[in-house]
Amino acid sequence: MANSESPLIVAFGEMLIDFVPDTAGVSLAESTGFLKAPGGAPANVACAITKLGGKSAFVGKVGDDEFGHMLINILKKNGVNAEGVCVDTHARTALAFVTLRKDGEREFMFYRNPSADMLLKDSELNMPLIKQAKIFHYGSISLISEPCRSAHMAAMKAAKDAGIMLSYDPNVRLPLWPSADAAREGIKSIWNQADFIKVSDDEVHFLTQGDAEKEDVVLSLWHDNLKLLVITDGEKGCRYYTKKFKGKVTGFSVKAIDTTGAGDAFVGSFLLSMAKDMSIFEDETKLKEALSFSNACGAICTTQKGAIPALPTQSAALELISKSKSK
């Protein structure tokens, strides 16, 4: 499944089980049953890449429990290199209960006290694997507590020192941080390291406390080491900013059931385009094409429940693009 010629993308962070209600639009208390769905943004990104024919690895930690072993098997089944996954004999795999509102948007309740992913130590990092990457991708949940934060910083430094491109999708999950201010501070603490950052319009509003529609607000997030800043605007598509050009790419209209994993499908597909051709930072036509493909991947992911099962193939994304062109 994975293309051996394709450059390796390593995703770092958390992998957990999402429990999704079997009926949308009811609260956790009212829900009568839950579907077990593998999740965790960086793991979703790794799976999104292989589903599109790319090559990825996941680095993180799960518990030595049935859920943890299930997650490792899911990575392997999806063609993701799991050599960087550690197992903790004392802590459990993280769980999240997800409420699906009628519009497919989500609310989270987490069980991580502490969970295995938070206990990854820098001494457990598979550095040779990380150093093989062309792109090293991470979120911000791994920054919340020690020892995982130190492992995150060490992995990021090793990647940067090896000349590997750094990709950051903060994936704000407020309930996991001690406070909103702690979240803003933690997320921004590594902001200036990344070569590529993807944030949603909601996250722009949260981080800047300004209007995400306004360009000057968005550009307050720009820094000189950045090659590309992308803001995702849900079904409307996305906006992009590089040193030389900026613009927007329209999204695709689909019937959304569950938005879980849509951002990860978007990121995974974009990282694959980037890994194959780094000139997209300089070539606006290529960049817009890659972002449109990512928009299609994100849209398809919302049409099915759960993240990993809903990740699209290349042919499904291309079909959606050609369908909307023929309209």
Coordinates of all heavy atoms in Angstrom, one line a residue, residues 131-216:
K131 N 14.7 10.8 12.3 CA 15.6 11.4 11.4 C 15.6 11.0 9.9 O 16.2 11.6 9.1 CB 17.1 11.2 11.9 CG 17.3 12.0 13.2 CD 18.7 11.7 13.8 CE 18.9 12.5 15.1 NZ 20.0 12.0 15.9
Q132 N 14.8 9.9 9.7 CA 14.6 9.5 8.3 C 13.5 10.3 7.6 O 13.3 10.2 6.4 CB 14.1 8.1 8.2 CG 15.2 7.0 8.4 CD 14.5 5.6 8.6 OE1 13.6 5.3 7.9 NE2 15.0 4.9 9.6
A133 N 12.8 11.1 8.3 CA 11.6 11.8 7.8 C 12.0 13.0 6.8 O 13.1 13.6 7.0 CB 10.8 12.4 8.9
K134 N 11.1 13.3 5.9 CA 11.3 14.5 5.1 C 10.5 15.6 5.8 O 10.8 16.8 5.8 CB 10.7 14.3 3.7 CG 11.0 15.4 2.8 CD 11.1 15.1 1.4 CE 11.5 16.2 0.5 NZ 11.4 15.9 -0.9
I135 N 9.4 15.2 6.5 CA 8.5 16.1 7.2 C 8.2 15.5 8.6 O 7.9 14.3 8.7 CB 7.2 16.4 6.5 CG1 7.4 17.0 5.1 CG2 6.3 17.3 7.4 CD1 6.2 17.1 4.3
F136 N 8.3 16.3 9.7 CA 8.0 15.9 11.0 C 6.8 16.7 11.4 O 6.8 18.0 11.5 CB 9.2 16.2 12.0 CG 8.9 15.7 13.4 CD1 8.8 14.4 13.7 CD2 8.8 16.6 14.4 CE1 8.5 14.0 15.0 CE2 8.6 16.2 15.7 CZ 8.4 14.9 16.0
H137 N 5.7 16.0 11.7 CA 4.4 16.7 12.0 C 3.9 16.5 13.4 O 4.1 15.4 13.9 CB 3.3 16.2 11.0 CG 1.9 16.7 11.4 ND1 1.6 18.0 11.1 CD2 0.9 16.1 12.0 CE1 0.3 18.2 11.5 NE2 -0.1 17.0 12.0
Y138 N 3.4 17.5 14.1 CA 3.0 17.4 15.5 C 1.8 18.3 15.8 O 1.5 19.2 15.0 CB 4.2 17.7 16.4 CG 4.9 18.9 16.0 CD1 4.5 20.2 16.4 CD2 6.0 18.8 15.1 CE1 5.2 21.3 16.0 CE2 6.7 20.0 14.7 CZ 6.3 21.2 15.2 OH 6.9 22.3 14.8
G139 N 1.2 18.1 17.0 CA 0.2 19.0 17.4 C 0.6 19.7 18.7 O 1.8 19.9 19.0
S140 N -0.4 20.1 19.5 CA 0.0 20.8 20.8 C -0.4 20.0 22.0 O 0.0 20.4 23.1 CB -0.7 22.2 20.8 OG -2.1 22.0 21.0
I141 N -1.2 18.9 21.9 CA -1.7 18.2 23.1 C -0.5 17.6 23.8 O -0.4 17.5 25.0 CB -2.7 17.1 22.7 CG1 -4.0 17.9 22.3 CG2 -3.0 16.1 23.8 CD1 -5.1 17.0 21.7
S142 N 0.6 17.2 23.0 CA 1.8 16.6 23.6 C 2.6 17.6 24.3 O 3.6 17.3 25.0 CB 2.6 16.0 22.5 OG 2.6 16.8 21.3
L143 N 2.2 18.9 24.3 CA 2.9 19.9 25.1 C 2.3 20.2 26.5 O 2.9 21.0 27.3 CB 2.9 21.3 24.3 CG 3.5 21.4 22.9 CD1 3.2 22.7 22.3 CD2 5.0 21.2 23.1
I144 N 1.2 19.6 26.8 CA 0.5 19.9 28.0 C 1.2 19.5 29.3 O 1.2 20.3 30.2 CB -1.0 19.4 27.9 CG1 -1.7 20.0 26.7 CG2 -1.7 19.7 29.2 CD1 -3.1 19.5 26.5
S145 N 1.7 18.3 29.3 CA 2.3 17.8 30.6 C 3.6 17.1 30.3 O 3.9 16.5 29.3 CB 1.3 17.0 31.4 OG 0.8 16.0 30.6
E146 N 4.4 17.1 31.4 CA 5.7 16.3 31.4 C 5.3 14.8 31.7 O 4.4 14.6 32.4 CB 6.7 16.9 32.4 CG 7.2 18.2 32.0 CD 8.1 18.2 30.8 OE1 8.3 17.1 30.2 OE2 8.6 19.3 30.4
P147 N 6.1 13.9 31.3 CA 7.4 14.0 30.5 C 7.2 14.2 29.0 O 8.1 14.4 28.3 CB 8.1 12.7 30.8 CG 7.0 11.7 31.0 CD 5.9 12.5 31.6
C148 N 5.9 14.1 28.5 CA 5.7 14.1 27.1 C 6.2 15.4 26.4 O 6.7 15.4 25.3 CB 4.2 13.9 26.8 SG 3.9 13.7 25.1
R149 N 6.0 16.6 27.2 CA 6.5 17.8 26.6 C 7.9 17.8 26.3 O 8.4 18.2 25.2 CB 6.2 19.0 27.6 CG 6.6 20.3 27.0 CD 6.4 21.5 28.0 NE 7.2 22.6 27.5 CZ 6.7 23.5 26.6 NH1 5.5 23.4 26.1 NH2 7.5 24.5 26.1
S150 N 8.8 17.3 27.2 CA 10.2 17.2 26.9 C 10.5 16.3 25.8 O 11.4 16.5 25.0 CB 10.9 16.7 28.2 OG 10.9 17.7 29.2
A151 N 9.8 15.2 25.7 CA 9.9 14.3 24.5 C 9.6 15.0 23.2 O 10.3 14.9 22.2 CB 9.1 13.0 24.7
H152 N 8.5 15.8 23.2 CA 8.1 16.5 22.1 C 9.2 17.5 21.6 O 9.6 17.6 20.5 CB 6.8 17.3 22.4 CG 6.3 18.1 21.2 ND1 4.9 18.1 20.9 CD2 6.9 18.9 20.3 CE1 4.8 18.9 19.9 NE2 5.9 19.4 19.5
M153 N 9.7 18.3 22.6 CA 10.8 19.3 22.3 C 12.0 18.6 21.8 O 12.7 19.1 20.9 CB 11.1 20.1 23.6 CG 10.0 20.8 24.2 SD 9.1 21.9 23.1 CE 10.1 23.3 23.1
A154 N 12.4 17.4 22.4 CA 13.6 16.7 21.9 C 13.4 16.2 20.5 O 14.4 16.3 19.7 CB 13.9 15.6 22.9
A155 N 12.3 15.7 20.2 CA 12.0 15.1 18.8 C 12.0 16.2 17.8 O 12.6 16.1 16.7 CB 10.6 14.4 18.8
M156 N 11.4 17.4 18.2 CA 11.4 18.5 17.3 C 12.8 19.1 17.0 O 13.1 19.4 15.9 CB 10.5 19.6 18.0 CG 9.8 20.5 17.0 SD 8.5 21.5 17.9 CE 9.5 22.5 18.9
K157 N 13.6 19.2 18.1 CA 14.9 19.7 17.9 C 15.8 18.7 17.0 O 16.5 19.2 16.1 CB 15.6 19.8 19.3 CG 17.0 20.4 19.2 CD 17.7 20.6 20.5 CE 19.0 21.3 20.5 NZ 19.9 20.9 19.4
A158 N 15.6 17.4 17.2 CA 16.4 16.5 16.4 C 16.0 16.6 15.0 O 16.8 16.5 14.1 CB 16.1 15.0 16.9
A159 N 14.7 16.8 14.7 CA 14.2 16.9 13.3 C 14.7 18.2 12.7 O 15.3 18.2 11.6 CB 12.7 16.9 13.3
K160 N 14.6 19.3 13.5 CA 15.1 20.6 12.9 C 16.6 20.5 12.7 O 17.1 21.0 11.6 CB 14.8 21.7 14.0 CG 15.0 23.1 13.4 CD 13.8 24.0 13.7 CE 13.9 25.3 13.0 NZ 12.8 25.6 12.1
D161 N 17.4 20.0 13.6 CA 18.8 19.9 13.4 C 19.2 19.0 12.2 O 20.3 19.2 11.6 CB 19.5 19.3 14.7 CG 19.5 20.3 15.8 OD1 19.1 21.4 15.6 OD2 19.8 19.8 17.0
A162 N 18.3 18.1 11.9 CA 18.6 17.2 10.7 C 18.1 17.8 9.4 O 18.1 17.2 8.3 CB 17.9 15.8 10.9
G163 N 17.6 19.0 9.5 CA 17.1 19.7 8.3 C 15.7 19.3 7.8 O 15.4 19.4 6.6
I164 N 15.0 18.7 8.7 CA 13.7 18.1 8.4 C 12.6 19.3 8.5 O 12.7 20.0 9.4 CB 13.3 16.9 9.3 CG1 14.3 15.8 9.0 CG2 11.9 16.5 9.1 CD1 14.3 14.7 10.1
M165 N 11.7 19.3 7.6 CA 10.6 20.3 7.6 C 9.7 20.0 8.8 O 9.2 18.9 9.0 CB 9.9 20.1 6.2 CG 8.6 20.9 6.1 SD 8.7 22.5 5.5 CE 9.5 22.3 3.9
L166 N 9.4 21.1 9.5 CA 8.5 21.0 10.7 C 7.1 21.5 10.3 O 6.9 22.6 9.8 CB 9.0 21.8 11.9 CG 10.4 21.4 12.4 CD1 10.7 22.2 13.7 CD2 10.5 19.9 12.7
S167 N 6.1 20.6 10.6 CA 4.7 20.9 10.3 C 3.9 20.9 11.6 O 4.0 19.9 12.4 CB 4.1 19.8 9.4 OG 2.7 19.8 9.4
Y168 N 3.1 21.9 11.9 CA 2.4 22.1 13.1 C 0.9 22.4 12.9 O 0.5 23.3 12.2 CB 3.0 23.3 13.9 CG 2.5 23.6 15.3 CD1 2.0 22.6 16.1 CD2 2.7 24.9 15.8 CE1 1.6 23.0 17.4 CE2 2.4 25.2 17.1 CZ 1.8 24.2 17.9 OH 1.4 24.5 19.2
D169 N 0.0 21.5 13.5 CA -1.4 21.8 13.5 C -1.8 21.7 15.0 O -1.9 20.7 15.6 CB -2.1 20.7 12.8 CG -3.7 20.8 12.9 OD1 -4.1 21.8 13.5 OD2 -4.4 20.0 12.2
P170 N -2.0 22.9 15.6 CA -2.2 22.9 17.1 C -3.4 22.1 17.6 O -3.3 21.6 18.7 CB -2.4 24.4 17.4 CG -2.4 25.1 16.2 CD -1.9 24.3 15.1
N171 N -4.4 22.0 16.8 CA -5.6 21.2 17.2 C -6.0 21.5 18.6 O -5.9 20.7 19.6 CB -5.2 19.7 17.1 CG -6.0 19.0 16.1 OD1 -7.2 19.1 16.0 ND2 -5.3 18.4 15.2
V172 N -6.5 22.7 18.8 CA -6.8 23.2 20.2 C -7.9 22.3 20.8 O -9.0 22.1 20.2 CB -7.4 24.6 20.1 CG1 -7.8 25.1 21.5 CG2 -6.3 25.5 19.6
R173 N -7.6 21.7 22.0 CA -8.6 21.0 22.8 C -8.6 21.6 24.2 O -7.9 21.1 25.0 CB -8.2 19.5 22.8 CG -8.3 18.8 21.5 CD -9.7 18.5 21.0 NE -9.7 17.8 19.7 CZ -9.8 18.5 18.6 NH1 -9.8 19.8 18.5 NH2 -9.8 17.8 17.4
L174 N -9.4 22.6 24.3 CA -9.4 23.4 25.6 C -9.6 22.6 26.9 O -8.9 22.8 27.8 CB -10.5 24.5 25.5 CG -10.0 25.9 25.2 CD1 -11.0 26.9 25.3 CD2 -8.7 26.2 26.0
P175 N -10.5 21.5 26.9 CA -10.7 20.8 28.2 C -9.4 20.2 28.7 O -9.3 19.8 29.9 CB -11.7 19.8 27.8 CG -12.3 20.2 26.6 CD -11.4 21.1 25.8
L176 N -8.4 20.0 27.8 CA -7.2 19.3 28.3 C -6.2 20.2 28.9 O -5.2 19.7 29.6 CB -6.5 18.6 27.1 CG -7.3 17.4 26.4 CD1 -6.6 16.9 25.3 CD2 -7.6 16.3 27.5
W177 N -6.3 21.5 28.7 CA -5.4 22.5 29.3 C -5.9 23.0 30.6 O -7.1 23.0 30.9 CB -5.2 23.6 28.3 CG -4.5 23.3 27.0 CD1 -5.1 22.8 25.9 CD2 -3.1 23.4 26.7 NE1 -4.1 22.7 24.9 CE2 -2.9 23.0 25.4 CE3 -2.0 23.8 27.5 CZ2 -1.7 23.0 24.8 CZ3 -0.7 23.8 26.9 CH2 -0.6 23.4 25.5
P178 N -5.0 23.4 31.5 CA -5.4 23.9 32.8 C -6.3 25.1 32.7 O -7.2 25.3 33.5 CB -4.1 24.3 33.5 CG -3.0 23.6 32.8 CD -3.5 23.3 31.4
S179 N -6.1 26.0 31.6 CA -6.9 27.2 31.4 C -6.7 27.6 30.0 O -5.8 27.2 29.3 CB -6.4 28.3 32.3 OG -5.1 28.8 31.9
A180 N -7.6 28.5 29.5 CA -7.5 29.1 28.2 C -6.2 29.8 28.0 O -5.5 29.7 26.9 CB -8.6 30.0 27.9
D181 N -5.7 30.5 29.0 CA -4.4 31.3 28.9 C -3.3 30.3 28.8 O -2.3 30.5 28.0 CB -4.2 32.2 30.1 CG -5.1 33.5 29.9 OD1 -5.6 33.8 28.8 OD2 -5.4 34.1 31.0
A182 N -3.3 29.2 29.6 CA -2.3 28.2 29.5 C -2.2 27.6 28.1 O -1.1 27.3 27.6 CB -2.5 27.1 30.6
A183 N -3.4 27.4 27.5 CA -3.5 26.8 26.2 C -2.8 27.7 25.1 O -2.0 27.3 24.4 CB -4.9 26.5 25.8
R184 N -3.2 29.0 25.2 CA -2.6 30.0 24.3 C -1.1 30.0 24.4 O -0.4 30.0 23.4 CB -3.2 31.4 24.5 CG -4.5 31.6 23.7 CD -4.9 33.1 23.8 NE -5.6 33.2 25.1 CZ -6.9 33.1 25.2 NH1 -7.7 32.8 24.2 NH2 -7.5 33.3 26.4
E185 N -0.7 30.1 25.7 CA 0.8 30.2 25.9 C 1.5 29.0 25.5 O 2.6 29.0 24.8 CB 1.0 30.4 27.5 CG 2.3 30.9 27.9 CD 2.4 31.0 29.4 OE1 1.5 31.5 30.0 OE2 3.5 30.6 29.9
G186 N 1.0 27.8 25.8 CA 1.6 26.5 25.4 C 1.7 26.3 23.9 O 2.7 26.0 23.4
I187 N 0.6 26.7 23.2 CA 0.5 26.5 21.8 C 1.5 27.5 21.1 O 2.2 27.1 20.1 CB -0.9 26.7 21.3 CG1 -1.8 25.5 21.7 CG2 -1.0 27.0 19.8 CD1 -3.3 25.7 21.6
K188 N 1.6 28.7 21.6 CA 2.5 29.7 21.0 C 3.9 29.5 21.4 O 4.8 30.0 20.7 CB 2.0 31.1 21.4 CG 0.7 31.5 20.7 CD 0.3 32.9 21.0 CE -0.8 33.4 20.2 NZ -1.3 34.7 20.7
S189 N 4.2 28.7 22.4 CA 5.6 28.5 22.9 C 6.5 27.9 21.8 O 7.7 28.1 21.8 CB 5.6 27.6 24.2 OG 5.3 26.3 23.9
I190 N 5.9 27.1 20.9 CA 6.7 26.5 19.8 C 6.4 27.1 18.4 O 6.8 26.6 17.4 CB 6.6 25.0 19.8 CG1 5.2 24.6 19.6 CG2 7.2 24.4 21.1 CD1 5.0 23.1 19.2
W191 N 5.6 28.1 18.4 CA 5.0 28.7 17.2 C 6.1 29.0 16.1 O 6.0 28.7 15.0 CB 4.2 29.9 17.5 CG 3.2 30.3 16.4 CD1 3.4 31.3 15.5 CD2 2.0 29.7 16.2 NE1 2.3 31.4 14.7 CE2 1.4 30.4 15.1 CE3 1.2 28.7 16.8 CZ2 0.1 30.1 14.6 CZ3 0.0 28.4 16.3 CH2 -0.5 29.1 15.2
N192 N 7.2 29.7 16.6 CA 8.2 30.2 15.7 C 9.1 29.1 15.1 O 10.0 29.5 14.3 CB 9.0 31.3 16.3 CG 8.1 32.5 16.6 OD1 6.9 32.6 16.2 ND2 8.6 33.5 17.3
Q193 N 9.0 27.9 15.5 CA 9.8 26.8 15.0 C 9.4 26.2 13.7 O 10.1 25.7 12.9 CB 9.9 25.7 16.1 CG 10.2 26.1 17.5 CD 11.6 25.8 17.8 OE1 12.3 25.1 17.1 NE2 12.1 26.4 18.9
A194 N 8.0 26.3 13.5 CA 7.4 25.5 12.4 C 7.7 26.2 11.0 O 7.7 27.4 10.9 CB 6.0 25.4 12.6
D195 N 7.8 25.3 10.0 CA 7.9 25.8 8.6 C 6.5 25.9 8.0 O 6.3 26.7 7.1 CB 8.7 24.7 7.8 CG 10.1 24.6 8.3 OD1 10.9 25.5 8.1 OD2 10.4 23.5 8.9
F196 N 5.6 25.0 8.5 CA 4.3 25.0 7.9 C 3.3 25.0 9.1 O 3.5 24.1 10.0 CB 4.0 23.9 7.0 CG 2.6 23.5 6.7 CD1 1.8 24.4 6.1 CD2 2.0 22.3 7.1 CE1 0.4 24.2 5.9 CE2 0.7 22.0 6.9 CZ -0.1 22.9 6.3
I197 N 2.3 25.8 9.2 CA 1.3 25.8 10.2 C -0.1 25.8 9.6 O -0.4 26.6 8.7 CB 1.4 27.0 11.2 CG1 2.7 26.9 12.0 CG2 0.2 27.1 12.1 CD1 3.0 28.1 12.9
K198 N -0.9 24.9 10.1 CA -2.4 24.9 9.7 C -3.2 25.2 10.9 O -3.0 24.5 11.9 CB -2.7 23.5 9.0 CG -4.2 23.4 8.7 CD -4.8 22.4 9.7 CE -6.3 22.5 9.8 NZ -6.8 21.8 10.9
V199 N -4.1 26.2 10.8 CA -5.0 26.5 11.9 C -6.4 26.6 11.3 O -6.5 27.1 10.2 CB -4.7 27.8 12.7 CG1 -3.7 27.5 13.9 CG2 -4.1 28.8 11.8
S200 N -7.4 26.3 12.1 CA -8.8 26.6 11.7 C -9.1 28.0 12.0 O -8.5 28.6 12.8 CB -9.7 25.6 12.4 OG -9.8 26.0 13.8
D201 N -10.2 28.5 11.4 CA -10.7 29.9 11.7 C -11.0 30.0 13.2 O -10.7 31.0 13.8 CB -11.9 30.3 10.8 CG -13.0 29.2 10.7 OD1 -12.8 28.1 11.3 OD2 -14.0 29.4 10.1
D202 N -11.6 29.0 13.8 CA -11.9 29.1 15.2 C -10.6 29.2 16.1 O -10.6 29.9 17.1 CB -12.6 27.8 15.7 CG -14.0 27.7 15.1 OD1 -14.5 28.7 14.6 OD2 -14.6 26.6 15.2
E203 N -9.6 28.5 15.6 CA -8.3 28.5 16.4 C -7.6 29.9 16.2 O -7.0 30.4 17.1 CB -7.4 27.4 15.9 CG -7.9 26.0 16.4 CD -7.3 24.8 15.7 OE1 -6.7 25.0 14.6 OE2 -7.4 23.7 16.3
V204 N -7.8 30.5 15.0 CA -7.3 31.9 14.8 C -7.9 32.8 15.8 O -7.3 33.6 16.5 CB -7.5 32.4 13.4 CG1 -7.1 33.8 13.3 CG2 -6.7 31.5 12.4
H205 N -9.3 32.7 16.0 CA -10.0 33.5 16.9 C -9.5 33.3 18.3 O -9.3 34.2 19.1 CB -11.5 33.2 16.8 CG -12.3 33.9 17.8 ND1 -12.4 35.3 17.9 CD2 -13.1 33.4 18.8 CE1 -13.2 35.6 18.9 NE2 -13.6 34.5 19.5
F206 N -9.4 32.0 18.7 CA -8.9 31.6 20.0 C -7.5 32.2 20.3 O -7.3 32.8 21.4 CB -9.0 30.1 20.2 CG -8.4 29.7 21.5 CD1 -9.0 29.9 22.7 CD2 -7.1 29.1 21.6 CE1 -8.4 29.6 24.0 CE2 -6.5 28.7 22.8 CZ -7.2 29.0 24.0
L207 N -6.6 32.0 19.4 CA -5.2 32.4 19.7 C -5.0 33.9 19.7 O -4.2 34.4 20.4 CB -4.3 31.7 18.6 CG -4.1 30.2 18.7 CD1 -3.5 29.6 17.5 CD2 -3.4 29.8 20.0
T208 N -5.7 34.6 18.8 CA -5.5 36.0 18.7 C -6.5 36.8 19.5 O -6.3 38.0 19.7 CB -5.6 36.5 17.2 OG1 -7.0 36.2 16.8 CG2 -4.6 35.8 16.3
Q209 N -7.6 36.2 19.8 CA -8.8 36.9 20.4 C -9.3 38.0 19.5 O -9.9 38.9 20.0 CB -8.5 37.3 21.8 CG -8.2 36.1 22.7 CD -7.7 36.5 24.1 OE1 -6.5 37.0 24.3 NE2 -8.5 36.4 25.1
G210 N -9.1 37.8 18.2 CA -9.5 38.8 17.2 C -10.4 38.1 16.2 O -10.8 36.9 16.3
D211 N -10.9 38.9 15.2 CA -11.8 38.4 14.2 C -11.0 37.6 13.1 O -10.1 38.2 12.4 CB -12.5 39.6 13.5 CG -13.5 39.2 12.4 OD1 -13.5 38.0 12.1 OD2 -14.2 40.0 12.0
A212 N -11.2 36.3 13.0 CA -10.5 35.4 12.1 C -10.7 35.7 10.6 O -9.9 35.3 9.8 CB -10.9 33.9 12.4
E213 N -11.7 36.5 10.3 CA -12.0 36.9 8.9 C -11.0 38.0 8.5 O -10.7 38.2 7.3 CB -13.4 37.5 8.8 CG -14.5 36.6 9.1 CD -14.7 35.5 8.1 OE1 -14.7 35.8 6.9 OE2 -14.8 34.3 8.5
K214 N -10.4 38.7 9.5 CA -9.6 39.9 9.1 C -8.2 39.5 8.9 O -7.5 38.8 9.7 CB -9.7 40.9 10.2 CG -11.0 41.6 10.4 CD -11.0 42.8 11.3 CE -12.3 43.5 11.3 NZ -12.7 44.1 12.6
E215 N -7.6 40.0 7.8 CA -6.3 39.6 7.4 C -5.2 40.0 8.3 O -4.3 39.3 8.6 CB -6.0 40.2 6.0 CG -4.7 39.6 5.4 CD -4.5 39.9 3.9 OE1 -5.4 39.4 3.1 OE2 -3.6 40.6 3.6
D216 N -5.4 41.2 8.9 CA -4.3 41.7 9.9 C -4.3 40.8 11.1 O -3.2 40.6 11.7 CB -4.5 43.2 10.2 CG -5.8 43.5 10.9 OD1 -6.8 42.7 10.6 OD2 -5.9 44.5 11.6

